[in-house]
Amino acid sequence: MATAIGNRAQGRGFAKRISSHLAAALVVFCLAQIFIVAKMGGSLVLHLGIIVAIGGYGIAARGLERRWQMLEQGGLSQGGMALRFRRDVLQLWGASILGALLWIPVAIIFRFLFG
């Protein structure tokens, strides 16, 4: 298993792999937000909030991409890079899914306050 991961990492750099994960996580993040807000009876204000959240996600994603470009140039061992990569991918997907689910209490509070 470790050699399979090592071979895969050598064929395609960690920065490109993290970029692919970022793109997929952004799509999941956006679709989940839109679905949740639409099901909760979203208003224009909540939809504008989605735009702001996606913009913030994009800024954070670009920072993560830059970090991985610098890490690849840093000369760390493959094992160290693989460990950091798995940790960052886990945090990325967790933030994408949980971040989208945060719209549920926001929408409930918004509906309670403004009808």
Side-chain angles (χ1 to χ4, degrees):
M1 175 87 173
T3 57
I5 292 172
N7 290 340
R8 200 172 56 196
Q10 289 173 355
R12 202 168 154 224
F14 285 109
K16 290 209 182 269
R17 289 174 58 202
I18 200 75
S19 187
S20 297
H21 277 281
L22 282 166
L26 177 60
V27 169
V28 169
F29 181 71
C30 293
L31 291 176
Q33 283 187 2
I34 292 168
F35 177 77
I36 289 169
V37 169
K39 287 293 181 186
M40 299 296 289
S43 68
L44 180 62
V45 173
L46 290 177
H47 283 88
L48 291 174
I50 289 174
I51 293 169
V52 170
I54 292 170
Y57 185 99
I59 292 169
R62 184 60 190 138
L64 187 60
E65 279 184 329
R66 283 189 185 139
R67 175 178 181 258
W68 274 97
Q69 289 169 352
M70 290 189 315
L71 280 173
E72 277 192 337
Q73 296 170 356
L76 289 173
S77 69
Q78 284 293 99
M81 292 284 282
L83 181 63
R84 283 183 170 87
F85 180 78
R86 285 191 299 269
R87 185 194 65 210
D88 281 356
V89 166
L90 183 64
Q91 289 175 349
L92 168 68
W93 282 101
S96 293
I97 293 168
L98 293 176
L101 293 177
L102 287 176
W103 280 106
I104 294 172
V106 170
I108 290 171
I109 292 169
F110 187 82
R111 182 185 289 177
F112 177 75
L113 292 175
F114 301 107

